Amino acid sequence: MLKIEDLHVEVDGKPILKGINLEIEAGQVHAIMGPNGSGKSTLAYVLAGREGYDVTKGRVLYKGQDLLEMAPEMRAAEGLFLGFQYPVAIPGVSNIYFLKAALNAVRKHRGEEPLDAIDFMKLSKEKAALVQLPDELTKRCVNDGFSGGEKKRNEIFQMAVLEPSLAVLDETDSGLDIDALKVVAEGVNSLRGPERAMLVITHYQRLLDYIVPDTVHVLIDGQIVRTGDKDLAKQLEREGYADVQGAQQL
Amino acid sequence: MTNPSRQTLLGSLPASFDSGPEWLRALRGRAADALREQGLPTKRTEAWRFTPVRSVVDAEFSREEESAPSLVSAVPEGVAVRSLRQVLQAEPELLAGRLDLGGAPTHFAALNTALFSDGLWIDVPAGTAGEAPIELAHAISTSSERGVAYPRVLVTLGDNAELTLIETYAGGEAEQLTNSVVEVDLGRNAKMSHVRVHENAGLQVGRVDVRQGADSSYRSTVVTLGGALLRFDVRCLLQGKGAECQLDGAYLIDGEDHVDHHTLVEHQASHCRSAQTYRGIASGKGTAVFDGIVVVHRDAQKTEAHQENRNLLLSDTATVHTKPHLEIDADDVVCSHGVTVGSLDQEQLFYLRARGIPEDLAHSMLTYAFLKTIVDRVSHEPTRARMREALLTRLPHGDDIEGVA
Ligand SMILES: Nc1ncnc2c1ncn2[C@@H]1O[C@H](COP(=O)(O)OP(=O)(O)OP(=O)(O)O)[C@@H](O)[C@H]1O
Ligand SMILES: [Mg+2]
């Protein structure tokens, strides 16, 4: 599904990612953990196609295509979804309108008929219920005046509607209370399937109790320094990054 | 070839004023004298620095006969809407002292005072709340190519009276000039909501003069959708303690449009509040000007005044001049002002695209949303819908983004 080969990325001439290699097969869930500033969000943004990131070396294949050549909307249409660490508010654009436009753009790309207002409302109600997003929030402007946790729920709500093949979730768990965390995890798990894959960025082992990953990577200073199974996350929680990195270097 | 019936604006001033009540003749005479002495503004006149006013001052126009706006709604019970001409003929004493209530006018407003022949007087007696809005349509008649009209509206609200007034200025040819004056006098605790829509409005110079009594409230929303040369001045005199005004504006400029909004809010009494939010989008070779002044007089303690002007510049060839300023002579005040001229928010744009929305559609959505937040402040739903529609028809992809909010 996703193959990242020796990816080097700079921002304003400063190297941030320094040779990332990562392969995710359909059906798998991978987690990335790492200290603040290690480049996790940078990787997520590069995958989604945000401007301002210089890929100086390496390549990314997504479903066999050169991902880095594609416009952001094309990546989304091909089933890539980024759950933002800090979702932006868009006053004046209603959440529900925006999501319908997004879904229909993706459907159009797949050669499907657009959903009409009634069918879309039905779908949106069903998905909002799944992530327990209050009706009132679906009708407000995109993330406008949402609390931190509400924004994260809104990300998962959008993911549930768009049903991506590869979801990159950037710290979707931070800022969530324990109940919300479970709800979000359920939303994510309901989407797991043999055709889909996920890349979950998190600081907390806790999330991985609910979304059990197949593989855990540790990203430090722009490089994946260790890869292991779900127990690696537990070890990180106990020992911290310094020890894990130290162990690697021995 | 010159048309003998055409004259320059100044040239059309008569030597003397022979009809109407004595006080009106005096008013007109003073306005004409001031004009002859000062002339009309030029580029060297500070407040007209960015307005290409020469094309109007030097041009010759023929006078349009009919210049009273037409009433296109029902009149709420208890409210009187009368022709200024008729009142001036039949009961002129009713209007004595009620015209030019903000003081001696200058420039184009003085021209209107000297030359207006008709108009409307909307009077809402004390304690009357006109629930349904009154709607006026100003459309310059096109009987001649280069016509000039001088619409005049006087709105008086007694104590505790309420009114919603909606005015549309539309359909002018690029060479037709409308020089309007709207005066508003608000009694104690009176509340007025005032919506003005300028659509494809040719050449326009317009002034709104508001005088506010204690605890009164004046809310204005101006939506300006292009025109060859549009210049609007709003002045609010907060004369009574506790009065408040909110001035909002949205403008959309394209092609070779020139749109110029000037506001002046004078805090003359204590405990008054004012807020201004103007937002505009400039594309093509259009020019937008915003010039806002807030003056806080020495005795106007406990004043709160805010002013904001935000602009989206969508092409390299469009221009925005913005100049908000505060002149504060009192010490116990809360004031703020802010200006931005920029392009669309890249983070918002990326968010939309990352969900699959094509770039051009995302552009239109954000552009529309930027102005829509102003339009949404209009409380009268049918008018709000009409404005949204008007915005959409002027934006690329308007059809596709209809339901945006
Ligand atoms: N636009 C930018 N300009 C300059 N430096 C940047 C920019 N974006 C990211 N960086 C730098 O790149 C590094 C990696 O940032 P990134 O946001 O990817 O970290 P992260 O691993 O997601 O951290 P966190 O856990 O705090 O979210 C940081 O040192 C950051 O300051
Ligand atoms: Mg991050």
Side-chain angles (χ1 to χ4, degrees), chain A residues 150-194:
Chain A
E150 287 168 346
K151 285 183 186 169
K152 296 304 176 75
R153 258 187 228 223
N154 194 29
E155 294 293 288
I156 298 302
F157 165 60
Q158 293 173 33
M159 182 183 78
V161 169
L162 295 170
E163 300 189 318
S165 5
L166 174 64
V168 179
L169 302 179
D170 191 358
E171 295 197 31
T172 303
D173 54 333
S174 41
L176 290 182
D177 60 48
I178 191 74
D179 292 339
L181 186 71
K182 283 186 198 162
V183 169
V184 163
E186 269 163 41
V188 171
N189 285 329
S190 71
L191 216 69
R192 282 178 90 153

Side-chain angles (χ1 to χ4, degrees), chain A residues 45 48-51 71-73 76 81-82 84 87-94 97-98 101-102 105-106 142-143 155 158 162, chain B residues 345-361 365-366 368-370 372-373 376 400-405:
Chain A
Y45 281 140
R50 185 170 159 152
E51 279 173 31
E73 56 268 34
F81 178 91
L82 170 62
F84 286 76
V88 64
I90 312 182
V93 175
S94 96
Y97 166 80
F98 147 71
V106 172
V142 180
N143 297 322
E155 294 293 288
Q158 293 173 33
L162 295 170
Chain B
D345 184 308
Q346 291 302 310
E347 227 185 313
Q348 295 179 341
L349 202 55
F350 176 63
Y351 191 86
L352 297 177
R353 294 179 69 192
R355 293 289 177 262
I357 296 173
E359 189 175 8
D360 49 358
L361 189 59
M365 283 169 68
L366 292 178
Y368 176 56
F370 180 76
K372 195 180 148 295
T373 49
D376 282 348
D400 300 332
I401 57 174
E402 214 148 331
V404 74

